[in-house]
């Protein structure tokens, strides 16, 4: 398993030149706080951000598009967002936001169903009632997954609901399946057990949907005007990502301490689910947080196809800047 060692010497050198006062950074979540967001909470709780000379404030979000908008308009400096959303935004609006590090190198998209529906493979969703959130980036890739399994959206009944309602819709039979991320395996498994049902998960990656997903994206203004702050933040964030993987209990406690409505137990389950998207065979091959050119190009090809965009409308290399991440 790939292991990242924090560049303490680099961080020290950078700090030596930094102002004595901590630099303020506003971090934008692409969704509500939860286990999959553990690294940024670890960064604060374990002092990695402070050690890097950073005073970090976390802002909640309601989807990648909103996160990118807030970062583009300067409401936040840097944050997490689906790189597919950034690609679409850069292809159509040329928003001043750039990806600087990958967080999840594997797509998190999946169908969740229960054993009593009889849905055992993706092809089995034909003719079924499917519920999804209106905000999730999974909706972008749904047509591709259906097409690769010989279907179109006309072959399913798709409804959109509040994210918090997806589980109840599935457990009560109002939906035959829901679209959700692999970061929520523990949550939906628990809901199924309470309902006396068995959860069935059908990852879209099994249908060949291999791509980058959540990434660190930053305001171009932030990168241009405070590049040393950006470099220190990336070093601290990557250190936090590795720490959270090595110490899931402490990672869960870091989130639960700030978000009291979440239990450390639930957060830990979500983080353990999410960490598999960051630490896997892709990480072993390319390294933690890296953005490989070929995989990036393949991701853009998927995004362009799924959204009907001209593949030539964007060079995916123009949306990333790898220079802010230390070796």
């Amino acid at each position: 398993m790939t292991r990242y060692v924090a560049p303490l010497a680099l961080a020290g050198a950078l700090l030596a030149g930094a102002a004595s006062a901590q630099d303020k950074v506003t971090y934008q979540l692409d969704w509500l706080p939860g286990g999959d967001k553990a690294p940024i909470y670890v960064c604060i709780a374990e002092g990695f951000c402070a050690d890097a000379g950073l005073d970090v404030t976390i802002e909640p979000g309601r989807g990648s598009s909103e996160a990118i908008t807030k970062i583009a308009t300067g409401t936040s400096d840097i944050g997490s967002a689906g790189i597919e959303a950034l690609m679409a935004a850069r292809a159509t609006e040329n928003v001043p936001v750039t990806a600087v590090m990958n967080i999840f190198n594997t797509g998190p998209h999946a169908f969740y169903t229960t054993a009593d529906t009889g849905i055992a493979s993706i092809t089995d969703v034909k003719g079924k009632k499917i519920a999804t959130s209106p905000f999730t980036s999974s909706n972008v890739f749904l047509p591709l997954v259906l097409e690769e399994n010989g279907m179109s959206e006309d072959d399913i009944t798709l409804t959109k609901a509040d994210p918090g309602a997806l589980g109840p819709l599935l457990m009560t039979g109002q939906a035959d399946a829901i679209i959700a991320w692999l970061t929520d395996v523990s949550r939906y498994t628990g809901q199924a057990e309470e309902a006396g049902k068995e959860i069935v998960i059908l990852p879209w990656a099994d249908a060949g949907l291999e791509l980058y997903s959540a990434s660190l994206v930053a305001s171009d203004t932030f990168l241009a005007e405070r590049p040393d702050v950006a470099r220190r933040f990336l070093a601290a964030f990557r250190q936090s990502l590795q720490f959270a993987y090595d110490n899931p209990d402490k990672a869960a406690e870091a989130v639960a301490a700030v978000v009291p409505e979440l239990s450390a137990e639930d957060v830990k389950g979500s983080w353990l689910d999410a960490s598999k998207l960051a630490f896997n065979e892709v990480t072993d091959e390319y390294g933690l947080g890296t953005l490989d050119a070929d995989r990036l190009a393949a991701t853009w090809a998927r995004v362009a196809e799924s959204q009907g965009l001209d593949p030539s409308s964007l060079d995916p290399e123009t949306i990333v800047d790898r220079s802010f991440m230390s070796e």
Side-chain angles (χ1 to χ4, degrees):
M1 186 64 69
T2 297
R3 182 180 180 82
Y4 169 72
V5 179
L8 296 179
L10 174 61
L14 291 169
L15 275 174
S20 56
Q22 290 193 320
D23 292 297
K24 294 186 179 299
V25 174
T26 302
Y27 185 90
Q28 181 67 51
L29 298 180
D30 57 356
W31 196 243
L32 301 175
D36 59 322
K37 317 301 181 197
I40 189 59
Y41 291 91
V42 164
C43 196
I44 296 172
E46 295 296 327
F48 299 142
C49 286
D51 291 345
L54 305 173
D55 178 9
V56 176
T57 301
I58 301 174
E59 291 290 333
R62 296 286 291 181
S64 291
S65 296
E66 183 191 83
I68 291 169
T69 298
K70 287 186 173 180
I71 292 170
T73 56
T75 301
S76 298
D77 301 307
I78 192 168
S80 57
I83 199 166
E84 64 277 12
L86 177 59
M87 287 175 165
R90 286 284 293 266
T92 57
E93 302 177 48
N94 196 28
V95 294
V97 176
T98 296
V100 290
M101 175 181 161
N102 171 253
I103 302 174
F104 295 154
N105 57 37
T106 301
H109 319 288
F111 287 120
Y112 283 69
T113 186
T114 52
D116 59 323
T117 65
I119 299 174
S121 68
I122 292 179
T123 56
D124 292 336
V125 303
K126 186 174 183 177
K128 301 297 186 181
K129 296 178 292 185
I130 311 295
T132 186
S133 162
F135 308 111
T136 177
S137 60
S138 300
N139 297 334
V140 171
F141 298 107
L142 177 62
L144 290 187
V145 171
L146 293 174
E147 182 181 357
E148 291 181 5
N149 287 274
M151 295 177 281
S152 71
E153 289 191 71
D154 293 336
D155 290 312
I156 62 173
T157 301
L158 187 67
T159 60
K160 295 185 178 179
D162 184 88
L166 294 178
L169 286 173
L170 177 61
M171 304 314 162
T172 59
Q174 297 179 72
D176 298 310
I178 61 173
I179 295 171
W181 282 20
L182 295 171
T183 54
D184 290 324
V185 171
S186 297
R187 177 155 63 105
Y188 290 124
T189 299
Q191 291 183 7
E193 289 175 350
E194 290 180 2
K197 297 188 176 185
E198 178 184 353
I199 201 75
V200 175
I201 304 167
L202 305 172
W204 292 1
D206 291 350
L209 196 68
E210 296 182 358
L211 38 74
Y212 285 126
S213 54
S215 298
L216 278 185
V217 303
S219 155
D220 287 353
T221 300
F222 171 65
L223 296 176
E225 295 183 353
R226 299 197 291 163
D228 72 304
V229 176
R231 291 189 179 93
R232 279 185 275 136
F233 180 84
L234 260 66
F237 186 90
R238 194 155 63 144
Q239 183 180 12
S240 304
L241 185 58
Q242 182 69 60
F243 181 91
Y245 180 68
D246 293 336
N247 303 274
D249 288 313
K250 289 186 176 180
E253 291 168 3
V255 179
V258 180
V259 191
E261 58 267 32
L262 298 177
S263 72
E265 181 181 3
D266 288 342
V267 172
K268 181 182 176 182
S270 176
W271 168 242
L272 290 175
D273 294 337
S275 64
K276 297 172 184 174
L277 304 175
F279 294 86
N280 48 49
E281 64 278 5
V282 178
T283 322
D284 292 339
E285 182 172 359
Y286 299 109
L288 183 63
T290 59
L291 287 158
D292 172 68
D294 290 342
R295 194 172 180 85
L296 188 69
T299 301
W300 165 238
R302 291 283 193 178
V303 172
E305 181 183 2
S306 64
Q307 301 198 33
L309 298 172
D310 181 354
S312 66
S313 63
L314 178 75
D315 176 355
E317 284 297 313
T318 63
I319 73 157
V320 302
D321 189 334
R322 301 176 178 85
S323 68
F324 291 92
M325 193 168 71
S326 57
E327 296 295 332

